[in-house]
Amino acid sequence: MIEIYLFVNPIGKKCLSIEQRIIDLINKYDMKIQLRLVPIMNLNTVSEFMQRIGGSEKDIQLRTELSQEIHSAALDVKAAHLQGKKRGRDFLIELQKAVGEQKQPYSKKLAIQLFTKVGGDLEMFLEDRHSAFVQESFLTDQQIAHEMEITSHPSAVIYNYGSNCDAGIRIEGCDAIHHILDTYNTKEALLAFLEIESKHAPMRHSPDIDHHLSLI
């Protein structure tokens, strides 16, 4: 079995494109892949997001607003996941489409509308959203990201439990993930890539794409 931790911005459209490709891959090849979508927020990811939307790193007000929105959206996603992985995933995708692609401003009202759209129990969602458990779950995700040395989103950490190595393969950056999915675009090629990479420990940098690939 393969387990993928995908660290994402809950309101980012680049992360959405990666999520959709991985979900399509799972469905296309009927592979035993456990996908864990992990919303993260730290100083570096907020700065990275500001650059992507054309904001100035010196704009303190924008930084504060984006930090609050990403944090609030991440808590929404964690609360949605308590009603099942599929519902949580569907909600995350709808949220990224609305805010990241359609440029709708994030708000609690929007979150409620989107959660209703995916068919969840709204009363339970609102109760969970403000619970200590959801806040603690969010903090646990940030700790996992810190331990795996995740500094940008999207980033993926892949464990191939079918190999003889228990090391995870860390792939950082949207271009890097797309590059690997484009290059190893069959089930056999992807499995062979994971098998080979899980047995080697170099950190590799490519001048052609903005990423690095390493074992953790």
Side-chain angles (χ1 to χ4, degrees):
M1 187 187 78
I2 295 170
E3 184 174 33
I4 301 175
Y5 287 81
L6 186 61
F7 297 89
V8 301
N9 177 355
I11 57 175
K13 68 177 182 179
K14 280 200 170 186
C15 293
L16 172 61
S17 69
I18 294 295
E19 293 158 25
Q20 291 176 321
R21 286 203 66 179
I22 292 177
I23 291 169
D24 288 345
L25 181 149
I26 294 171
N27 294 332
K28 179 178 179 180
Y29 296 126
D30 191 28
M31 298 175 71
K32 292 183 179 179
I33 296 178
Q34 186 167 1
L35 176 62
R36 299 182 182 274
L37 297 170
V38 185
I40 62 167
M41 185 195 75
N42 56 47
L43 290 174
N44 189 68
T45 57
V46 173
S47 296
E48 187 179 65
F49 190 49
M50 290 176 70
Q51 292 176 356
R52 287 179 184 174
I53 64 174
S56 169
E57 286 195 28
K58 297 180 181 179
D59 191 333
I60 304 301
Q61 182 177 349
L62 176 61
R63 179 180 294 277
T64 300
E65 290 174 355
L66 286 177
S67 296
Q68 292 173 343
E69 289 179 2
I70 294 172
H71 177 252
S72 185
L75 295 180
D76 292 336
V77 172
K78 298 305 295 183
H81 267 92
L82 293 180
Q83 297 190 34
K85 289 183 180 179
K86 185 179 186 303
R87 180 156 291 129
R89 185 179 68 195
D90 290 346
F91 172 76
L92 173 62
I93 288 174
E94 290 295 333
L95 185 60
Q96 290 168 325
K97 284 180 178 178
V99 180
E101 288 188 341
Q102 300 167 10
K103 307 300 182 184
Q104 296 184 48
Y106 171 82
S107 66
K108 292 182 179 179
K109 181 179 179 181
L110 176 65
I112 289 172
Q113 291 174 344
L114 296 176
F115 189 74
T116 301
K117 180 179 178 179
V118 300
D121 183 324
L122 182 58
E123 183 178 353
M124 184 182 298
F125 170 75
L126 293 174
E127 182 178 341
D128 290 336
R129 170 64 176 74
H130 298 286
S131 68
F133 177 82
V134 162
Q135 181 64 42
E136 291 169 3
S137 180
F138 168 77
L139 293 176
T140 298
D141 285 347
Q142 309 320 296
Q143 182 62 30
I144 292 172
H146 176 73
E147 291 173 356
M148 292 184 175
E149 300 180 3
I150 300 300
T151 58
S152 64
H153 46 46
S155 289
V157 174
I158 306 173
Y159 290 93
N160 179 14
Y161 296 115
S163 69
N164 295 321
C165 177
D166 59 0
I169 303 167
R170 181 177 58 221
I171 310 166
E172 295 186 274
C174 187
D175 290 340
I177 299 173
H178 277 305
H179 173 75
I180 287 172
L181 294 177
D182 288 338
T183 303
Y184 306 99
N185 56 8
T186 68
K187 180 178 180 179
E188 293 74 18
L190 183 60
L191 289 174
F193 163 78
L194 295 175
E195 181 74 20
I196 293 171
E197 290 298 330
S198 65
K199 294 178 180 178
H200 297 82
M203 182 176 290
R204 305 191 311 187
H205 297 267
S206 168
D208 300 321
I209 52 176
D210 178 23
H211 81 286
H212 72 258
L213 170 67
S214 60
L215 290 189
I216 61 173

